[in-house]
Amino acid sequence: MFFAGHTCIGCKKQEKLLFSSKEIQETLLQNFHCFIAHVDDKTFSEQHSATYGTYFSQLQIELFENQELPNFLMIQHNGNITIHNKSFQSVVGFEEWLAYVE
């Protein structure tokens, strides 16, 4: 799960850096279920009685204890949650993290 914002410049940089790599795309598609949670999404959710953005923002606060963006979260098959709450500076760093949580 990638916590991001439509208007977050740092998030856009991370998306461009990480998700444009063919190797990372293949790894994510083959080994993970991916979801981008936009904390500024204005679409109303009947299920949560709030906007999706509000729901994702509250979830981010519960999980990360902050509202900084971007944040990455992996839920492993055994239910363990691995969090990375800093921007990745390189594709290699992200690949190493993916290998760690795999």
Side-chain angles (χ1 to χ4, degrees):
M1 182 177 273
F2 175 51
F3 285 86
H6 293 292
T7 59
C8 171
I9 294 170
C11 300
K12 301 260 183 242
K13 288 180 181 178
Q14 284 292 276
E15 288 179 44
K16 185 177 180 182
L17 172 70
L18 303 176
F19 304 145
S20 63
S21 163
K22 293 289 185 200
E23 294 81 14
I24 287 180
Q25 288 177 12
E26 289 175 12
T27 299
L28 290 174
L29 289 172
Q30 292 174 5
N31 302 315
F32 297 94
H33 297 281
C34 301
F35 182 76
I36 298 177
H38 288 102
V39 299
D40 55 359
D41 187 333
K42 303 292 185 209
T43 308
F44 188 77
S45 167
E46 292 288 333
Q47 180 182 1
H48 302 294
S49 300
T51 65
Y52 284 106
T54 299
Y55 173 74
F56 294 141
S57 183
Q58 290 171 346
L59 181 62
Q60 179 186 10
I61 291 168
E62 289 175 26
L63 294 170
F64 296 95
E65 298 179 355
N66 72 50
Q67 289 184 289
E68 295 175 22
L69 294 173
N71 281 311
F72 295 88
L73 166 102
M74 292 289 182
I75 303 171
Q76 296 169 311
H77 294 290
N78 61 9
N80 288 342
I81 295 175
T82 304
I83 294 173
H84 189 280
N85 61 355
K86 294 188 172 131
S87 294
F88 288 95
Q89 300 303 313
S90 69
V91 170
V92 172
F94 189 64
E95 288 174 330
E96 289 171 353
W97 186 66
L98 290 177
Y100 169 75
V101 297
E102 218 171 340

XYZ file of all heavy atoms in Angstrom:
841
model
N 0.856 -1.160 0.000
C 0.000 0.000 0.000
C 0.903 1.222 0.000
O 1.859 1.297 0.767
C -0.905 -0.013 1.228
C -1.876 1.141 1.277
S -2.987 1.046 2.704
C -4.268 0.036 2.017
N 0.610 2.125 -0.887
C 1.394 3.347 -1.040
C 0.487 4.509 -0.654
O -0.508 4.770 -1.311
C 1.851 3.463 -2.498
C 2.588 4.728 -2.868
C 3.667 5.174 -2.135
C 2.210 5.447 -3.992
C 4.359 6.325 -2.502
C 2.890 6.596 -4.372
C 3.957 7.030 -3.623
N 0.781 5.149 0.474
C 0.023 6.316 0.903
C 0.591 7.527 0.182
O 1.780 7.837 0.322
C 0.115 6.508 2.415
C -0.715 5.529 3.183
C -0.213 4.287 3.510
C -2.003 5.851 3.573
C -0.962 3.370 4.217
C -2.775 4.951 4.283
C -2.254 3.703 4.602
N -0.259 8.203 -0.578
C 0.186 9.316 -1.406
C -0.914 10.360 -1.468
O -1.975 10.199 -0.874
C 0.527 8.811 -2.807
N -0.652 11.402 -2.218
C -1.640 12.441 -2.443
C -1.576 12.901 -3.882
O -0.499 12.948 -4.477
N -2.741 13.210 -4.434
C -2.795 13.705 -5.813
C -1.963 14.977 -5.970
O -1.385 15.214 -7.021
C -4.240 13.999 -6.232
C -5.097 12.783 -6.343
N -4.907 11.821 -7.309
C -6.156 12.364 -5.606
C -5.811 10.873 -7.168
N -6.576 11.175 -6.140
N -1.896 15.781 -4.923
C -1.189 17.062 -4.995
C 0.183 17.027 -4.326
O 0.829 18.060 -4.191
C -2.043 18.165 -4.332
O -2.292 17.803 -2.970
C -3.370 18.348 -5.054
N 0.639 15.855 -3.930
C 1.919 15.699 -3.222
C 3.064 15.583 -4.231
O 3.168 14.575 -4.942
C 1.853 14.468 -2.332
S 3.425 14.004 -1.588
N 3.922 16.579 -4.275
C 5.035 16.594 -5.227
C 6.017 15.460 -4.919
O 6.494 14.769 -5.819
C 5.736 17.962 -5.231
C 4.782 19.014 -5.777
C 7.023 17.916 -6.037
C 5.241 20.438 -5.629
N 6.337 15.241 -3.647
C 7.234 14.152 -3.264
C 6.685 12.787 -3.665
O 7.439 11.891 -4.064
N 5.364 12.632 -3.572
C 4.733 11.367 -3.962
C 4.867 11.146 -5.465
O 5.155 10.034 -5.918
C 3.260 11.370 -3.576
S 2.971 11.582 -1.806
N 4.657 12.193 -6.221
C 4.790 12.097 -7.685
C 6.220 11.719 -8.070
O 6.430 10.914 -8.976
C 4.392 13.412 -8.343
C 2.981 13.843 -8.039
C 2.079 13.495 -9.178
C 0.685 14.008 -8.896
N -0.281 12.957 -8.811
N 7.195 12.298 -7.366
C 8.605 11.956 -7.633
C 8.862 10.482 -7.338
O 9.559 9.801 -8.088
C 9.531 12.838 -6.814
C 9.597 14.272 -7.298
C 10.536 15.100 -6.428
C 10.590 16.537 -6.894
N 11.468 17.354 -6.036
N 8.320 9.979 -6.210
C 8.497 8.571 -5.864
C 7.848 7.670 -6.910
O 8.433 6.682 -7.335
C 7.893 8.266 -4.494
C 8.719 8.741 -3.344
C 10.015 7.980 -3.205
O 10.065 6.921 -2.612
N 11.076 8.527 -3.750
N 6.633 8.019 -7.328
C 5.946 7.237 -8.346
C 6.779 7.173 -9.622
O 6.956 6.099 -10.198
C 4.570 7.830 -8.653
C 3.562 7.623 -7.551
C 2.217 8.235 -7.877
O 1.731 8.074 -9.021
O 1.638 8.887 -6.986
N 7.261 8.320 -10.052
C 8.044 8.377 -11.290
C 9.340 7.581 -11.153
O 9.708 6.810 -12.041
C 8.346 9.829 -11.656
C 9.050 9.975 -12.979
C 9.264 11.425 -13.338
C 9.975 11.541 -14.674
N 10.241 12.920 -15.036
N 10.053 7.749 -10.036
C 11.322 7.062 -9.821
C 11.125 5.551 -9.721
O 11.807 4.786 -10.395
C 11.999 7.569 -8.536
C 13.249 6.806 -8.095
C 14.404 7.067 -9.055
C 13.637 7.205 -6.679
N 10.187 5.122 -8.894
C 10.071 3.707 -8.571
C 9.204 2.922 -9.543
O 9.578 1.837 -9.975
C 9.520 3.542 -7.158
C 10.326 4.219 -6.055
C 9.625 4.059 -4.724
C 11.743 3.686 -6.006
N 8.054 3.457 -9.876
C 7.092 2.672 -10.643
C 7.329 2.715 -12.144
O 6.650 2.032 -12.897
C 5.669 3.100 -10.304
C 5.357 3.007 -8.822
C 4.532 3.926 -8.221
C 5.889 2.007 -8.028
C 4.241 3.852 -6.866
C 5.616 1.922 -6.680
C 4.781 2.843 -6.097
N 8.308 3.491 -12.597
C 8.643 3.492 -14.022
C 9.696 2.431 -14.342
O 9.943 2.126 -15.504
C 9.139 4.870 -14.460
O 10.333 5.205 -13.783
N 10.289 1.829 -13.321
C 11.286 0.775 -13.509
C 10.587 -0.521 -13.930
O 9.695 -1.014 -13.237
C 12.057 0.546 -12.204
O 12.724 -0.696 -12.237
N 10.987 -1.077 -15.058
C 10.388 -2.333 -15.559
C 10.575 -3.473 -14.555
O 9.670 -4.277 -14.351
C 11.001 -2.724 -16.904
C 10.659 -1.777 -18.026
C 9.219 -1.911 -18.428
C 8.950 -1.027 -19.631
N 7.543 -0.744 -19.796
N 11.750 -3.531 -13.924
C 12.016 -4.588 -12.961
C 11.078 -4.496 -11.763
O 10.545 -5.498 -11.290
C 13.481 -4.542 -12.480
C 14.500 -4.853 -13.553
C 14.823 -3.652 -14.457
O 14.464 -2.505 -14.104
O 15.415 -3.885 -15.518
N 10.877 -3.288 -11.276
C 9.976 -3.103 -10.131
C 8.539 -3.395 -10.540
O 7.795 -4.041 -9.795
C 10.124 -1.689 -9.531
C 11.448 -1.618 -8.773
C 8.962 -1.358 -8.610
C 11.750 -0.301 -8.135
N 8.135 -2.955 -11.712
C 6.785 -3.253 -12.186
C 6.539 -4.757 -12.214
O 5.504 -5.233 -11.749
C 6.563 -2.663 -13.585
C 6.427 -1.175 -13.615
C 6.286 -0.646 -15.043
O 6.074 -1.386 -15.995
N 6.410 0.664 -15.180
N 7.494 -5.513 -12.759
C 7.361 -6.966 -12.828
C 7.292 -7.584 -11.438
O 6.453 -8.451 -11.177
C 8.514 -7.565 -13.624
C 8.447 -7.267 -15.107
C 9.662 -7.774 -15.880
O 10.456 -8.565 -15.313
O 9.807 -7.369 -17.048
N 8.170 -7.150 -10.532
C 8.174 -7.679 -9.165
C 6.847 -7.399 -8.479
O 6.256 -8.292 -7.856
C 9.325 -7.062 -8.346
O 10.559 -7.407 -8.964
C 9.311 -7.560 -6.907
N 6.352 -6.170 -8.595
C 5.093 -5.813 -7.944
C 3.927 -6.604 -8.525
O 3.090 -7.120 -7.777
C 4.832 -4.311 -8.072
C 5.750 -3.399 -7.265
C 5.480 -1.939 -7.601
C 5.598 -3.638 -5.775
N 3.864 -6.726 -9.843
C 2.756 -7.434 -10.480
C 2.772 -8.932 -10.180
O 1.721 -9.544 -10.022
C 2.776 -7.204 -11.993
C 2.381 -5.795 -12.446
C 2.629 -5.617 -13.938
C 0.923 -5.514 -12.117
N 3.959 -9.515 -10.082
C 4.068 -10.954 -9.865
C 3.937 -11.364 -8.401
O 3.466 -12.463 -8.108
C 5.410 -11.465 -10.410
C 5.502 -11.393 -11.912
C 6.884 -11.767 -12.424
O 7.758 -12.177 -11.668
N 7.090 -11.596 -13.718
N 4.339 -10.495 -7.486
C 4.458 -10.923 -6.089
C 3.604 -10.162 -5.080
O 3.594 -10.533 -3.909
C 5.927 -10.822 -5.652
C 6.830 -11.652 -6.534
O 6.533 -12.789 -6.844
N 7.929 -11.068 -6.969
N 2.941 -9.105 -5.504
C 2.217 -8.260 -4.549
C 0.862 -7.836 -5.103
O 0.654 -7.810 -6.304
C 3.022 -6.983 -4.247
C 4.346 -7.232 -3.599
C 5.503 -7.331 -4.351
C 4.448 -7.365 -2.221
C 6.730 -7.565 -3.759
C 5.673 -7.609 -1.621
C 6.818 -7.702 -2.390
N -0.051 -7.521 -4.200
C -1.284 -6.832 -4.537
C -1.035 -5.377 -4.166
O -0.730 -5.076 -3.015
C -2.474 -7.380 -3.746
C -2.756 -8.813 -4.042
N -3.423 -9.217 -5.173
C -2.447 -9.940 -3.365
C -3.520 -10.525 -5.178
N -2.933 -10.994 -4.083
N -1.157 -4.491 -5.121
C -0.769 -3.092 -4.899
C -1.988 -2.190 -4.830
O -2.995 -2.420 -5.499
C 0.143 -2.619 -6.028
S 1.629 -3.609 -6.170
N -1.851 -1.161 -4.010
C -2.932 -0.194 -3.846
C -2.339 1.157 -3.481
O -1.467 1.232 -2.613
C -3.874 -0.659 -2.724
C -5.039 0.244 -2.511
C -6.111 0.237 -3.384
C -5.060 1.111 -1.444
C -7.190 1.073 -3.194
C -6.126 1.952 -1.235
C -7.197 1.932 -2.117
N -2.788 2.197 -4.159
C -2.374 3.551 -3.816
C -3.527 4.217 -3.064
O -4.642 4.308 -3.580
C -1.994 4.381 -5.060
C -0.804 3.745 -5.777
C -1.665 5.823 -4.655
C -0.401 4.451 -7.066
N -3.268 4.627 -1.848
C -4.266 5.287 -1.002
C -4.006 6.787 -1.043
O -3.077 7.274 -0.402
C -4.169 4.757 0.422
N -4.826 7.491 -1.804
C -4.679 8.951 -1.904
C -5.404 9.608 -0.725
O -6.628 9.541 -0.631
C -5.244 9.461 -3.229
C -4.388 9.110 -4.393
N -4.688 8.074 -5.250
C -3.224 9.650 -4.824
C -3.750 7.991 -6.177
N -2.848 8.931 -5.941
N -4.634 10.231 0.141
C -5.208 10.831 1.349
C -5.971 12.119 1.060
O -6.625 12.658 1.951
C -4.132 11.076 2.435
C -3.503 9.766 2.858
C -3.072 12.053 1.953
N -5.909 12.580 -0.177
C -6.667 13.778 -0.548
C -7.793 13.466 -1.540
O -8.329 14.359 -2.174
C -5.742 14.863 -1.098
C -4.879 14.396 -2.257
O -4.961 13.209 -2.646
O -4.109 15.216 -2.786
N -8.185 12.189 -1.618
C -9.286 11.769 -2.497
C -10.594 12.329 -1.937
O -10.931 12.105 -0.782
C -9.335 10.248 -2.567
C -10.328 9.724 -3.592
O -11.318 10.413 -3.900
O -10.111 8.607 -4.083
N -11.333 13.034 -2.756
C -12.575 13.694 -2.313
C -13.829 12.854 -2.556
O -14.934 13.278 -2.259
C -12.736 15.043 -3.033
C -11.574 15.998 -2.828
C -11.490 16.495 -1.417
C -10.400 17.540 -1.290
N -9.804 17.580 0.009
N -13.665 11.633 -3.079
C -14.810 10.764 -3.346
C -15.408 10.286 -2.031
O -14.689 9.806 -1.150
C -14.375 9.543 -4.185
O -13.677 9.986 -5.336
C -15.575 8.709 -4.596
N -16.736 10.413 -1.900
C -17.398 10.022 -0.664
C -17.593 8.512 -0.624
O -17.995 7.893 -1.600
C -18.751 10.721 -0.518
C -19.389 10.502 0.826
C -18.950 11.201 1.939
C -20.401 9.574 0.984
C -19.525 10.986 3.190
C -20.973 9.358 2.230
C -20.538 10.069 3.332
N -17.318 7.909 0.528
C -17.498 6.475 0.750
C -18.670 6.266 1.705
O -18.605 6.672 2.863
C -16.224 5.878 1.356
O -16.477 4.584 1.856
N -19.731 5.645 1.211
C -20.880 5.334 2.076
C -20.450 4.385 3.198
O -20.889 4.520 4.338
C -21.997 4.682 1.247
C -22.638 5.608 0.247
C -23.514 6.663 0.885
O -24.049 6.433 1.991
O -23.659 7.735 0.273
N -19.584 3.435 2.875
C -19.132 2.445 3.843
C -18.437 3.090 5.033
O -18.592 2.661 6.174
C -18.185 1.453 3.169
C -17.652 0.388 4.095
C -16.682 -0.553 3.389
O -16.395 -0.405 2.215
N -16.190 -1.529 4.115
N -17.664 4.154 4.786
C -16.893 4.799 5.855
C -17.530 6.105 6.333
O -16.998 6.750 7.233
C -15.464 5.061 5.376
C -14.769 3.814 4.939
N -14.438 2.791 5.794
C -14.348 3.415 3.715
C -13.860 1.814 5.132
N -13.785 2.164 3.862
N -18.635 6.506 5.720
C -19.332 7.753 6.059
C -18.394 8.957 6.043
O -18.476 9.852 6.882
C -20.008 7.647 7.426
O -20.955 6.602 7.423
N -17.466 8.939 5.104
C -16.501 10.029 4.944
C -15.910 9.895 3.544
O -16.197 8.938 2.833
C -15.397 9.920 5.990
N -15.063 10.841 3.173
C -14.386 10.695 1.897
C -13.319 9.605 2.042
O -12.857 9.318 3.143
C -13.705 12.001 1.449
O -12.670 12.326 2.373
C -14.705 13.144 1.334
N -12.939 9.027 0.913
C -11.858 8.042 0.952
C -10.586 8.691 1.490
O -9.830 8.067 2.236
C -11.602 7.441 -0.432
C -12.639 6.419 -0.828
C -13.601 6.716 -1.779
C -12.645 5.159 -0.249
C -14.553 5.776 -2.146
C -13.592 4.213 -0.602
C -14.546 4.526 -1.554
O -15.487 3.594 -1.909
N -10.346 9.928 1.112
C -9.171 10.643 1.588
C -9.137 10.740 3.102
O -8.097 10.518 3.735
N -10.269 11.074 3.699
C -10.356 11.151 5.163
C -10.099 9.787 5.785
O -9.342 9.659 6.756
C -11.737 11.679 5.595
O -11.914 12.992 5.052
C -11.871 11.725 7.100
N -10.706 8.743 5.209
C -10.502 7.388 5.719
C -9.027 6.983 5.621
O -8.445 6.488 6.590
C -11.383 6.396 4.952
C -11.084 4.963 5.314
C -11.493 4.438 6.537
C -10.379 4.145 4.438
C -11.199 3.126 6.883
C -10.086 2.838 4.780
C -10.496 2.338 5.994
O -10.194 1.041 6.332
N -8.414 7.197 4.448
C -7.010 6.826 4.267
C -6.091 7.651 5.171
O -5.110 7.142 5.708
C -6.573 6.976 2.812
C -7.257 6.030 1.868
C -7.644 6.449 0.609
C -7.519 4.719 2.231
C -8.271 5.583 -0.271
C -8.146 3.840 1.359
C -8.518 4.278 0.106
N -6.420 8.913 5.362
C -5.627 9.773 6.236
C -5.676 9.275 7.681
O -4.651 9.203 8.367
C -6.133 11.213 6.147
O -5.348 12.064 6.924
N -6.864 8.907 8.151
C -7.003 8.380 9.510
C -6.274 7.047 9.657
O -5.617 6.786 10.672
C -8.477 8.226 9.874
C -9.174 9.555 10.045
C -10.687 9.411 10.187
O -11.274 8.372 9.918
N -11.326 10.500 10.597
N -6.361 6.200 8.629
C -5.646 4.924 8.646
C -4.140 5.151 8.695
O -3.426 4.487 9.447
C -6.023 4.106 7.403
C -5.392 2.732 7.262
C -5.804 1.819 8.422
C -5.792 2.117 5.923
N -3.669 6.119 7.935
C -2.247 6.449 7.925
C -1.783 6.905 9.310
O -0.727 6.492 9.783
C -1.970 7.534 6.893
C -0.512 7.937 6.847
C -0.252 9.107 5.931
O -1.166 9.760 5.454
N 1.002 9.378 5.684
N -2.572 7.732 9.967
C -2.217 8.203 11.312
C -2.139 7.020 12.282
O -1.208 6.921 13.082
C -3.226 9.260 11.811
C -3.072 10.540 10.999
C -3.041 9.532 13.297
C -4.197 11.537 11.204
N -3.099 6.093 12.187
C -3.093 4.927 13.066
C -1.873 4.046 12.823
O -1.258 3.549 13.766
C -4.360 4.103 12.849
C -5.614 4.756 13.371
C -6.859 3.958 13.024
O -6.760 2.722 12.828
O -7.942 4.565 12.941
N -1.516 3.851 11.563
C -0.420 2.934 11.231
C 0.957 3.553 11.385
O 1.884 2.911 11.857
C -0.582 2.425 9.795
C -1.797 1.551 9.526
C -1.964 1.330 8.034
C -1.659 0.221 10.249
N 1.105 4.821 10.958
C 2.416 5.455 10.910
C 2.648 6.448 12.037
O 3.760 6.913 12.244
C 2.603 6.197 9.580
C 2.615 5.304 8.379
C 1.470 5.077 7.652
C 3.782 4.691 7.966
C 1.476 4.266 6.525
C 3.815 3.876 6.848
C 2.651 3.660 6.137
N 1.561 6.831 12.707
C 1.604 7.853 13.751
C 2.151 9.171 13.223
O 2.805 9.921 13.930
C 2.406 7.351 14.960
C 1.774 6.140 15.592
C 2.549 5.585 16.770
O 3.653 6.083 17.070
O 2.046 4.647 17.395
N 1.894 9.420 11.944
C 2.217 10.712 11.334
C 1.426 10.864 10.044
O 0.767 9.925 9.600
C 3.723 10.871 11.082
C 4.232 10.016 9.951
O 3.678 10.006 8.854
N 5.302 9.296 10.195
N 1.498 12.036 9.454
C 0.790 12.297 8.205
C 1.747 12.672 7.076
O 1.336 13.252 6.095
C -0.238 13.415 8.399
C -1.413 12.983 9.235
C -2.453 14.072 9.333
O -2.231 15.069 9.990
N -3.574 13.866 8.678
N 3.006 12.325 7.238
C 3.971 12.639 6.195
C 3.744 11.739 4.991
O 3.321 10.598 5.128
C 5.391 12.442 6.724
C 5.748 13.390 7.837
C 7.115 13.102 8.434
O 7.951 12.465 7.757
O 7.339 13.504 9.572
N 4.037 12.272 3.840
C 3.904 11.513 2.605
C 5.218 11.542 1.861
O 5.963 12.497 1.978
C 2.812 12.127 1.717
C 1.391 12.057 2.254
C 0.462 12.843 1.347
C 0.909 10.627 2.383
N 5.519 10.534 1.080
C 4.795 9.272 0.917
C 5.169 8.274 2.009
O 6.184 8.399 2.673
C 5.277 8.775 -0.446
C 6.663 9.297 -0.565
C 6.664 10.631 0.155
N 4.307 7.272 2.170
C 4.543 6.168 3.089
C 4.239 4.861 2.375
O 3.343 4.803 1.533
C 3.637 6.271 4.319
C 4.136 7.259 5.329
O 5.292 7.241 5.702
N 3.258 8.122 5.802
N 4.964 3.827 2.721
C 4.761 2.509 2.137
C 4.442 1.522 3.246
O 5.018 1.571 4.325
C 6.021 2.039 1.404
C 6.368 2.873 0.213
C 7.157 4.000 0.343
C 5.891 2.536 -1.040
C 7.484 4.780 -0.743
C 6.209 3.311 -2.149
C 7.008 4.438 -2.001
N 3.535 0.599 2.949
C 3.122 -0.408 3.915
C 2.988 -1.736 3.181
O 2.410 -1.787 2.096
C 1.772 -0.015 4.513
C 1.024 -1.066 5.278
C 1.200 -0.811 6.764
C -0.439 -1.045 4.940
N 3.538 -2.791 3.748
C 3.378 -4.130 3.191
C 2.746 -5.008 4.255
O 3.207 -5.042 5.404
C 4.726 -4.739 2.801
C 5.388 -4.080 1.647
S 4.522 -4.452 0.119
C 5.574 -3.596 -1.027
N 1.693 -5.716 3.869
C 1.088 -6.719 4.739
C 1.509 -8.064 4.160
O 1.134 -8.405 3.043
C -0.441 -6.590 4.792
C -0.836 -5.189 5.256
C -1.027 -7.674 5.701
C -2.309 -4.890 5.149
N 2.293 -8.794 4.918
C 2.828 -10.062 4.437
C 1.798 -11.183 4.598
O 0.793 -11.024 5.296
C 4.121 -10.383 5.179
C 5.198 -9.346 4.891
C 6.393 -9.469 5.805
O 6.231 -9.551 7.015
N 7.581 -9.468 5.219
N 2.043 -12.303 3.950
C 1.116 -13.435 3.986
C 0.811 -13.894 5.408
O -0.297 -14.334 5.694
C 1.679 -14.612 3.178
C 1.785 -14.338 1.727
N 0.698 -14.205 0.893
C 2.869 -14.128 0.945
C 1.093 -13.946 -0.324
N 2.415 -13.890 -0.328
N 1.767 -13.773 6.303
C 1.568 -14.193 7.689
C 0.881 -13.121 8.542
O 0.695 -13.284 9.727
C 2.897 -14.591 8.326
C 3.903 -13.454 8.363
O 3.583 -12.307 8.058
N 5.137 -13.772 8.736
N 0.516 -11.986 7.914
C -0.178 -10.918 8.623
C 0.727 -9.854 9.203
O 0.247 -8.839 9.709
N 2.044 -10.073 9.162
C 2.972 -9.060 9.664
C 2.910 -7.815 8.782
O 2.815 -7.909 7.559
C 4.409 -9.592 9.688
C 4.617 -10.616 10.778
O 3.841 -10.706 11.718
N 5.665 -11.400 10.633
N 3.003 -6.669 9.417
C 2.991 -5.398 8.703
C 4.388 -4.803 8.748
O 4.984 -4.695 9.820
C 1.981 -4.423 9.322
C 0.561 -4.973 9.155
C 2.099 -3.037 8.679
C -0.510 -4.155 9.836
N 4.899 -4.462 7.578
C 6.202 -3.819 7.473
C 5.977 -2.426 6.910
O 5.332 -2.270 5.875
C 7.146 -4.616 6.553
O 7.245 -5.939 7.054
C 8.514 -3.988 6.518
N 6.500 -1.426 7.595
C 6.271 -0.028 7.232
C 7.578 0.626 6.837
O 8.612 0.390 7.459
C 5.632 0.724 8.416
C 4.224 0.175 8.676
C 5.609 2.220 8.171
C 3.568 0.726 9.913
N 7.510 1.435 5.814
C 8.654 2.273 5.438
C 8.101 3.684 5.283
O 7.305 3.956 4.389
C 9.287 1.799 4.134
C 10.578 2.492 3.843
N 10.637 3.743 3.302
C 11.860 2.107 4.031
C 11.895 4.098 3.161
N 12.666 3.119 3.600
N 8.485 4.592 6.159
C 7.883 5.929 6.157
C 8.847 7.022 5.727
O 8.759 8.143 6.178
C 7.256 6.251 7.516
C 8.272 6.250 8.635
O 9.420 5.922 8.433
N 7.824 6.621 9.809
N 9.734 6.679 4.828
C 10.628 7.682 4.255
C 10.658 7.482 2.753
O 10.433 6.384 2.260
C 12.036 7.531 4.821
C 12.112 7.847 6.294
C 13.545 7.863 6.767
C 13.527 8.387 8.173
N 14.169 7.764 9.175
N 10.997 8.505 2.033
C 11.130 8.376 0.590
C 12.330 7.515 0.255
O 13.350 7.555 0.936
C 11.321 9.754 -0.059
O 10.177 10.535 0.095
N 12.193 6.726 -0.778
C 13.331 5.954 -1.279
C 14.140 6.858 -2.187
O 13.596 7.578 -3.017
C 12.852 4.716 -2.043
C 12.291 3.659 -1.139
C 10.931 3.593 -0.896
C 13.128 2.743 -0.520
C 10.411 2.621 -0.053
C 12.617 1.768 0.320
C 11.249 1.712 0.552
N 15.456 6.808 -2.024
C 16.339 7.666 -2.812
C 16.760 7.019 -4.120
O 17.310 7.675 -4.986
C 17.573 8.043 -1.993
C 17.233 8.786 -0.711
C 16.433 10.052 -0.964
O 16.769 10.833 -1.833
N 15.353 10.231 -0.224
N 16.514 5.707 -4.241
C 16.929 5.020 -5.458
C 16.046 3.803 -5.698
O 15.389 3.291 -4.783
C 18.379 4.556 -5.343
O 18.484 3.522 -4.386
N 16.050 3.347 -6.922
C 15.344 2.130 -7.289
C 15.947 0.951 -6.535
O 15.228 0.077 -6.056
C 15.410 1.916 -8.824
C 14.901 0.543 -9.207
C 14.622 3.001 -9.541
N 17.270 0.938 -6.387
C 17.958 -0.155 -5.683
C 17.461 -0.255 -4.238
O 17.198 -1.352 -3.739
C 19.494 0.037 -5.740
C 20.194 -0.988 -4.858
C 19.991 -0.050 -7.166
N 17.317 0.860 -3.564
C 16.820 0.854 -2.188
C 15.425 0.266 -2.091
O 15.121 -0.499 -1.172
N 14.562 0.596 -3.039
C 13.197 0.066 -3.060
C 13.230 -1.429 -3.363
O 12.512 -2.208 -2.733
C 12.350 0.823 -4.076
C 10.879 0.498 -4.011
C 10.134 0.806 -2.882
C 10.243 -0.098 -5.079
C 8.776 0.514 -2.824
C 8.891 -0.388 -5.036
C 8.150 -0.081 -3.907
N 14.067 -1.844 -4.308
C 14.184 -3.272 -4.636
C 14.670 -4.058 -3.427
O 14.159 -5.165 -3.160
C 15.160 -3.466 -5.809
C 14.598 -3.007 -7.130
C 15.613 -3.058 -8.258
O 16.819 -2.886 -7.995
O 15.194 -3.256 -9.403
N 15.609 -3.516 -2.680
C 16.098 -4.190 -1.479
C 14.987 -4.325 -0.440
O 14.856 -5.361 0.219
C 17.290 -3.438 -0.894
C 18.538 -3.545 -1.727
C 19.671 -2.631 -1.265
O 19.458 -1.791 -0.359
O 20.774 -2.757 -1.825
N 14.177 -3.286 -0.285
C 13.064 -3.344 0.663
C 12.043 -4.373 0.218
O 11.542 -5.154 1.025
C 12.433 -1.966 0.837
C 11.381 -1.921 1.900
C 11.571 -2.096 3.242
C 9.987 -1.704 1.721
N 10.371 -1.993 3.912
C 9.387 -1.742 3.000
C 9.187 -1.452 0.614
C 8.017 -1.562 3.192
C 7.832 -1.269 0.801
C 7.253 -1.316 2.079
N 11.727 -4.412 -1.078
C 10.780 -5.412 -1.587
C 11.292 -6.829 -1.334
O 10.525 -7.712 -0.940
C 10.527 -5.203 -3.081
C 9.725 -3.971 -3.481
C 9.636 -3.872 -4.990
C 8.335 -3.997 -2.848
N 12.579 -7.053 -1.563
C 13.164 -8.375 -1.321
C 13.081 -8.723 0.160
O 12.811 -9.881 0.517
C 14.618 -8.400 -1.791
N 13.260 -7.739 1.025
C 13.182 -7.954 2.474
C 11.774 -8.364 2.903
O 11.602 -9.274 3.717
C 13.616 -6.684 3.210
C 13.342 -6.696 4.687
C 14.127 -7.449 5.560
C 12.271 -5.980 5.214
C 13.870 -7.468 6.921
C 12.004 -5.994 6.569
C 12.797 -6.733 7.419
O 12.527 -6.766 8.761
N 10.746 -7.710 2.363
C 9.377 -7.992 2.797
C 8.752 -9.170 2.058
O 7.717 -9.670 2.468
C 8.444 -6.757 2.675
C 8.904 -5.650 3.569
C 8.310 -6.295 1.242
N 9.379 -9.615 0.995
C 8.827 -10.712 0.204
C 8.832 -11.988 0.950
O 9.288 -12.718 1.480
C 9.596 -10.851 -1.103
C 8.711 -11.194 -2.231
C 9.421 -11.133 -3.573
O 10.466 -10.499 -3.700
O 8.904 -11.709 -4.485
